[in-house]
Amino acid sequence: MLPRLTTTPAATTVFTMVLTQGPVSRVEIAKRTGLSSAAVTKAARPFIEEGYLQELEATERTAPGAGRPASPLAIKPEREFFIGVKITNDELIGVVTDLRAQPLASSHRPLATTDVESVVAELAELVAGLLATDPSYGARCHALGLAVSGDVDKAHGLVRYSPFLGWRQVPLARLAAAATGLTVTVENDVKALTVAEQWFGDGVGASSFALVTVGVGIGCGLVVNGRVVAGAHGVAGEIGHIPVGGEEPECHCGGRGCVEAIAGTAPLVAAVRAASAADADDAVAGQVVTTIETALAAAHAGDPAVREVFARAGHAIGLAMAAMANLFGPERIIVTGDVPGLVAYDLFEEQINRSFTAQAFGAAADCRLLLRPRTFEQWARGAAAVAIQTLFTL
Amino acid sequence: MLPRLTTTPAATTVFTMVLTQGPVSRVEIAKRTGLSSAAVTKAARPFIEEGYLQELEATERTAPGAGRPASPLAIKPEREFFIGVKITNDELIGVVTDLRAQPLASSHRPLATTDVESVVAELAELVAGLLATDPSYGARCHALGLAVSGDVDKAHGLVRYSPFLGWRQVPLARLAAAATGLTVTVENDVKALTVAEQWFGDGVGASSFALVTVGVGIGCGLVVNGRVVAGAHGVAGEIGHIPVGGEEPECHCGGRGCVEAIAGTAPLVAAVRAASAADADDAVAGQVVTTIETALAAAHAGDPAVREVFARAGHAIGLAMAAMANLFGPERIIVTGDVPGLVAYDLFEEQINRSFTAQAFGAAADCRLLLRPRTFEQWARGAAAVAIQTLFTL
């Protein structure tokens, strides 16, 4: 286990503030957190002693004659390095980051199978390769974060169920720790990306925001009052299973009218195939639409029936986002995806905006929508952010 | 203004814990909150000095030879009294409570009009009557909480918009303070009831729960990580505007398929009227259904078409509750209402449960549903709870 630098809420609060908003003076930290100056100083001390925080040169005096100048506290980003890996069903994507989750190196490794033992062996190779890119990484890297889609029990390092990997009850943290020699944290991939946005991305400074991911599934990470919503029973952010479609269609979850059953990759591709096959005059009609890439090509070729399918999917996503905003009133919603080309939203954006605005209740419509493509490296960075978090959260 | 007893998050934390979970020892408070013993002692001191908290007789020693016994801290419930009033469009309902929001006296006052000036004059009479019921109330009551449906700006004591009262931009806190001589807090009625459940009701001990209210509108209060969700733009908990009905029906909010447009009192009554009028053999067919009471009577008379209308409404409510649970994963959901007879849920309960279970995603279905009738006095108590909260929250 890594040494834990903190055992109090105040230490977590202080370090988080310097990490995400620093450099910042102790006086300012006290002001923003409501902690006393003495409590801030006490909370910061172990981080300074261990080299995670540093005092910058004093730049100003707090007041004329106040005596002691305000020395801002800042992170030492290269004090420690972290590895984050996103595990998909056909590839591992890994990054090395500094303490501020800035990626310094990245690597991809294809997976021939999702067999657990093989994936863990490939993971060990990927990690060894990343650590070998710079001598300081190996010397100062102790923590690995893994991001996996599905139902993940972070506290126990367990992948309870990952449909796309075909995994059930896999003790991934233990297996990966044995294979890499690092301390391992496993988190749901959408939650991991949400943590990265909260601390280092488009969520900084917002006490509440949502991240919506569009792809094979439709997922959502929620931050309320500064904390990621975990769900009392382990389920949260399942925006894909809001029933905006009335009684149709049936969803794999057993529900009806789910967003995911309309706008997830598989039903979307099927609907595009049906629409383009029905249109015999279209240039791509003869081409069989079997993947999201061919579905996107059909839409870009201008087939109106295909574009209508994308508009219906955007409508469902926009309605679900409005339902979510009506319930918890986020300051912003970041919309992203995991399919290259889809994340540009040239097919979705207009309809998402229109349907969101139509269904958002009163001032909930004031929520800002940010459409942001995110690469798999950025998802891997989310996994690194979760590993960073273990350093100093309770 | 009332004297504020607290200016630090620690003071709020400590007092809240004693208020909702006390009597509890300082050692136990430190353990549960992560505060140091010294911080707990410091936080509790002003509350003890002002007579809000007391040290009970020590009942046990923390450990053999530990010297100082653990004296649990407890609330002094009669240190101060509070008045809470729920304002409806035809009645004021008021209660006097102690510091633990236990109602000690209640009073109703009919409203001939919702004209602001008249309502404030009636409110002053109601408050005077309540304070006159016991000499100690007048001597030790300084704070009045008001619960109003609609869009309320609590920080500024402003009713921005209350459709049922026909009020826009009413500075109710200022007007009521002038008329009663008390410090006044105004809150949305659903949020006020949520606070009462969180601290003194079925939400105690849950770090996340939801309150769903079924009546003229369909509302929701959410507590996530121990705090009521307020919404970055002032909107939250609008479960009534989740579009579970597909493209039909249109809702007064401008959206489509909203729960409230199916299960709110007005559309419910209209649908029951249509169903019972179509059934010429039915005992109540000749009777015009114009109110929720007559709609309930038609259902209780056993008309299958009318019962089907209630089942459809229950289905919509259950789906919206599942959508909310899929997003937040609350530990519990309390379902209540503001229409006598409807809150018994004999018509709704089965369908709500069935539709919730069908649409809840995985373990989100483990959330407990508690169907709880709440009287208007209990809504008024919510207003008192909000007034109590102003004593010691930042």
Side-chain angles (χ1 to χ4, degrees), chain B residues 267-335:
Chain B
L268 189 65
V269 168
V272 167
R273 184 164 55 237
S276 64
D279 181 0
D281 294 339
D282 190 86
V284 294
Q287 180 184 331
V288 179
V289 175
T290 54
T291 63
I292 187 67
E293 288 76 15
T294 46
L296 284 166
H300 286 308
D303 184 331
V306 170
R307 295 189 73 90
E308 175 59 27
V309 169
F310 277 91
R312 273 203 303 275
H315 176 58
I317 295 167
L319 289 182
M321 283 167 46
M324 182 260 285
N326 290 347
L327 281 171
F328 294 92
E331 201 172 314
R332 315 166 192 164
I333 303 176
I334 306 162
V335 187

Side-chain angles (χ1 to χ4, degrees), chain A residues 8-9 33-34 208 220 222 224-225 227-229 231-233 235-239 241-247 253-256 258 315 319 323-331 358-359 361 363-364 366-367, chain B residues 9 33-34 208 220 222 224-225 227-229 231-233 235-239 241-247 253-256 258 315 319 323-331 358-359 361-364 366-367:
Chain A
T8 68
T33 60
S208 70
C220 178
L222 292 167
V224 176
N225 290 325
R227 292 174 62 184
V228 176
V229 177
H233 305 281
V235 171
E238 293 291 348
I239 197 173
H241 303 282
I242 296 185
V244 299
E247 295 302 312
C253 76
R256 288 172 166 275
C258 295
H315 176 59
L319 288 182
M324 181 260 286
N326 290 347
L327 279 171
F328 93 109
E331 200 172 317
Q359 190 66 37
F361 186 78
D366 296 345
C367 174
Chain B
T33 59
S208 69
C220 179
L222 292 168
V224 176
N225 290 325
R227 292 173 60 185
V228 176
V229 177
H233 305 282
V235 171
E238 291 292 349
I239 197 172
H241 302 282
I242 296 186
V244 299
E247 296 302 310
C253 75
R256 288 173 167 274
C258 296
H315 176 58
L319 289 182
M324 182 260 285
N326 290 347
L327 281 171
F328 294 92
E331 201 172 314
Q359 191 65 38
F361 187 78
D366 295 345
C367 173

Side-chain angles (χ1 to χ4, degrees), chain A residues 10 14 26-27 30 34-46 68, chain B residues 42:
Chain A
V14 169
R26 290 185 178 83
V27 172
L35 292 167
S36 69
S37 293
V40 172
T41 296
K42 186 180 164 195
R45 193 176 300 131
R68 194 169 160 188
Chain B
K42 187 179 164 195

Side-chain angles (χ1 to χ4, degrees), chain A residues 230-274:
Chain A
H233 305 281
V235 171
E238 293 291 348
I239 197 173
H241 303 282
I242 296 185
V244 299
E247 295 302 312
E248 296 294 337
E250 281 189 55
C251 179
H252 63 83
C253 76
R256 288 172 166 275
C258 295
V259 182
E260 191 163 303
I262 299 165
T265 300
L268 188 63
V269 168
V272 168
R273 185 165 55 237

Side-chain angles (χ1 to χ4, degrees), chain A residues 84-162:
Chain A
V85 178
K86 157 119 168 134
I87 303 177
T88 76
N89 63 342
D90 59 5
E91 194 182 26
L92 300 176
I93 304 95
V95 294
V96 180
T97 79
D98 66 16
L99 191 50
R100 275 199 291 228
Q102 291 310 304
L104 305 170
S106 72
S107 178
H108 289 231
R109 203 167 174 95
L111 293 176
T113 158
T114 59
D115 169 76
V116 175
E117 209 172 306
S118 312
V119 171
V120 171
E122 293 292 342
L123 176 68
E125 295 287 331
L126 178 85
V127 167
L130 282 167
L131 291 179
T133 53
D134 188 300
S136 64
Y137 298 164
R140 297 204 297 279
C141 178
H142 310 291
L144 166 65
L146 301 176
V148 179
S149 70
D151 182 358
V152 173
D153 178 349
K154 182 183 164 206
H156 297 97
L158 187 70
V159 179
R160 283 208 209 98
Y161 179 44
S162 179

